[in-house]
Amino acid sequence: TWPSKTFETMYLLICILTVLRACQGDSPAKPVTPLTPADAASLLEHAIRNTRAQASYETTFQSRAQKPGSAPIDYKGSAVWVAPQVLYVEYTATGGDHKKIVRAGDSAWVYHTLVDDWVSDAEAGMAGAGKGIQNPDDILAAAAGHTADAKLVESGLAELKFTGQTLAKILKGQGNVNDLDWDKSSATLRIRVDEQTRVRQLTVDAVLQTKGEKPESLTYTAQVDVAG
């Protein structure tokens, strides 16, 4: 018998971590040019690399999705990037829906309260759980591929705009995204960098277009705060 569900969660993480340590890849490559804080691309390249290269870090996040004429759906939670490729997420959504998720690489498990056990994300009806806003590395990886498009809003704050499949990757796992027309959707991602050139905050403001004969424009906002 497990002493507690917290202990069970940590035991599962340790088991996964033990396996992954034997097959971890290299940490994100260092930027080829020195840091230029006044250049948005340079600032993001260094900050994203420094953040993703950490052995572990934690985030808290909150987000809201709303469509015209409907009540908003809110998410609030936290995530621990335990080690490269190993993530633990816990959040509560509108209505008191509480979730615990462990993601290791391409595999994920969700704590199922009805069976009092961990099941795969597919078995829990949550394929892709622990991705997108819930997974800080997903956002940073997407931003890393588009640093050349960044602009500096003010000292330590850079901005990127996304559409299409890059936006789809960032918002993966945030509700029924299969009904969205990504090519007609857009989002602004702002990244705040601290004095140690690490990412400290991410904000997302998006307008998402639905598919169908009567498309609607949904609004989506999110904030992710990063602690080293």
Side-chain angles (χ1 to χ4, degrees), residues 43 151-159 190-193 201:
L43 180 67
K151 73 173 185 178
L152 199 66
V153 178
E154 60 184 56
S155 179
L157 180 63
E159 180 179 280
R190 287 192 168 189
I191 301 177
R192 174 75 65 180
V193 177
Q201 187 181 79

Side-chain angles (χ1 to χ4, degrees), residues 19-36:
V19 173
L20 285 179
R21 276 179 174 166
C23 58
Q24 283 177 6
D26 296 331
S27 62
K30 293 182 179 180
V32 295
T33 57
L35 171 65
T36 304

Side-chain angles (χ1 to χ4, degrees), residues 62-66 73-74 133 203-206 219-223:
Q62 53 187 342
S63 63
R64 166 170 286 190
Q66 187 169 18
I73 300 175
D74 294 323
I133 291 297
T203 60
V204 177
D205 288 285
T219 58
Y220 182 88
T221 60
Q223 177 176 310

